[in-house]
Each structure stands twice: as structure tokens, then as C-alpha cells.
Amino acid sequence: MELIQQLVNGISLGSIYALIALGYTMVYGIVRLINFAHGDVFMVGAFVGFYAITGLHLGFFPALLLAMVVCALLGVFIERIAYKPLRNATRIAVLITAIGVSLLIEYGMIYARGAQPVAYPGTILPDKKIELFGVTISSQSILILCTSIVLMILLQLIVHKTKIGKAMRAVSYDAEAARLMGINVDNTISATFAIGSALAGAAGVIFGIYYIKIEPLMGIIPGLKAFVAAVLGGIGIIPGAMVGGLVLGVIESLVSGLGYSLWRDGVAFIVLILILIFRPSGLFGKNVKEKV
């Protein structure tokens, strides 16, 4: 029963990683850029949700939507100001810019409000305990998991059923050919940043409700772990990011359940090393040999 309990905890945690990882993998799939500022967009989402709940007295879902809108706008702003001028620059220049944007957001938030952590109010969602097959599951965990799954399904519908989704897939496959076919590549890239950042903002609010405490540097470790999840699933592949996040969350929870909670952060990076050695293209990616 303890194993099932840890699996439930791992899936809830993994759904948060999956939402953040989707932003990494979408952006990489289109512009071949690892957006290291993505974890800090997640942090901004957590704070927007916190102030929406405590200052504007909004409920969970309105606060979630507001955080998604603000983070979508922030994502587009970052793309237009920091990344668009470097579209044809070297990879290292873009990478350094991404790290710079990350630090700017982190320490800009510290300058604006201080470094002290704050706690999400515990009453925002009902937290009833549900006994299921001998396992105690909180209603909060179920709601968080359901919200994450709905957002992932919406993303799949957007990517596969809408005009902007088709444009995103076309640009991902061949940006120059897409431009020749009349697709506005710049707007498509901005839309990708908006959608990925909105999901990160939603993950920030969900994280705040799940873990209570938030602070300006909170995006570093979840951001890196989400990057590991994206690599694990196959970076640039949307279903891979979802599965990678869930697998990583379950692995972390199982490690904690076995009594090695101090290793839970280290395990994510051990997984990254093993994936890069044995399956660099990820679980869902094709091997180089297969492509040839």
C-alpha cells in the first residue's frame, strides 16, 4: 500500500514537471532553443496566483487563468525582446542570453518584493482525505492531477486541431518551407512561447497550492528537473514531455518513500546522465541510426 501511495504522490508531482517540461519541449521543437528562463516564468506564475488569491480574493480557477494570461504575455515579451534579435545568432549567444534573462527575472523579483518566502493560504482548495483501496488520497491531489491532465489534453487539441497548431508543426518541421507557404513564422514562434509560458504559469499556481511555500528562486530546481523530464521523454516531442514529467515524479517519490529523501533532487540528474549515455534521443525520440 505504501508503494501505491508513493505512486499517487509521484503522479501528482510529475504532472507539475510535465506542465513545465511542455514549454521547454515546444520551444526547442520550433526554434532549437533551451529557454532556461522558463523556470522563472513558472515562479512568476506562482506569485501571480498568490497575489490573485490573497490580494484580489479570487478562487483557484480564476487565479490559475490570470497566472496563465500574465505568463503568456511575459513569454511573448521575453521572446520578442531577448530571443527574436538573436534568431540567426550562434547557439552559445542565445544560451547565454537565456541564462541572463533567467537571472534578470529572479533578481528583479527579489528587488521588487524582497527575498522572503510566502505561503499560499491552505483554505483555497478543500483538502478532504479519500480512502481508496487502502490508500489515503487527498482531494487536493486529485484536483491538481485532473487540472494538469485537462491542460495537457487542451494543448494536444491546440497542436493537432487548430490553425496555429498546424503552423507550429510546420515551422517545427521546416521553418523556411513554412515561410514560403505563407505562414508567419515570427508570430508562430511567439504563440509557442505564449502557450508554453501559460502552462508554466499554471504549474506555478498548482505548485504553490501543493507545496504551500513559494519564493523568488523557487523556479531553479523545478525548472532544471522539467528540463530533465523533457530530455527523458525526447526533447521537441510533446507526448514525451508529458510522460517524462510523470516518470520523473514517480521516480522521485519512490526514492523518498524508500527513505532516501536527501537524494530526491540528485536522482533527477542521475536520470539525465543515464539517458544521455544510453538513449540520448529520449524515450520517444528516434535514434540517429533510425533516421539514417
Side-chain angles (χ1 to χ4, degrees), residues 47 50-51 109-110 112-119 213-217:
F47 274 100
F50 172 77
Y51 288 119
M109 181 65 81
I110 290 173
R113 61 160 303 280
Q116 69 278 11
V118 291
K213 190 187 86 166
I214 61 169
E215 44 94 18
L217 300 180

Side-chain angles (χ1 to χ4, degrees), residues 250-270:
V250 168
I251 291 171
E252 276 194 29
S253 290
L254 290 176
V255 168
S256 297
L258 291 170
Y260 299 102
S261 55
L262 292 175
W263 280 88
R264 63 177 292 167
D265 288 340
V267 162
F269 302 104
I270 292 169

Side-chain angles (χ1 to χ4, degrees), residues 99-212:
I99 295 168
V101 172
S102 172
L103 293 169
L104 178 65
I105 295 172
E106 287 166 14
Y107 290 95
M109 181 65 81
I110 290 173
Y111 178 79
R113 61 160 303 280
Q116 69 278 11
V118 291
Y120 262 69
T123 55
I124 188 66
L125 284 177
D127 194 15
K128 297 174 182 176
K129 302 297 179 187
I130 301 167
E131 287 283 339
L132 198 65
F133 305 115
V135 178
T136 305
I137 304 170
S138 72
S139 59
Q140 204 173 76
S141 294
I142 293 170
L143 186 59
I144 284 168
L145 181 58
C146 291
T147 304
S148 300
I149 289 170
V150 167
L151 288 171
M152 291 181 205
I153 291 169
L154 281 174
L155 175 64
Q156 285 291 80
L157 290 174
I158 289 169
V159 170
H160 292 284
K161 302 293 182 184
T162 66
K163 192 174 179 181
I164 190 66
K166 289 177 183 175
M168 284 161 58
R169 284 184 287 141
V171 173
S172 174
Y173 190 77
D174 189 329
E176 284 306 311
R179 185 177 276 111
L180 291 171
M181 295 298 291
I183 292 171
N184 189 321
V185 172
D186 288 334
N187 285 355
T188 303
I189 292 170
S190 293
T192 305
F193 270 84
I195 294 167
S197 299
L199 291 173
V205 177
I206 291 168
F207 183 94
I209 286 169
Y210 196 68
Y211 286 101
I212 309 299

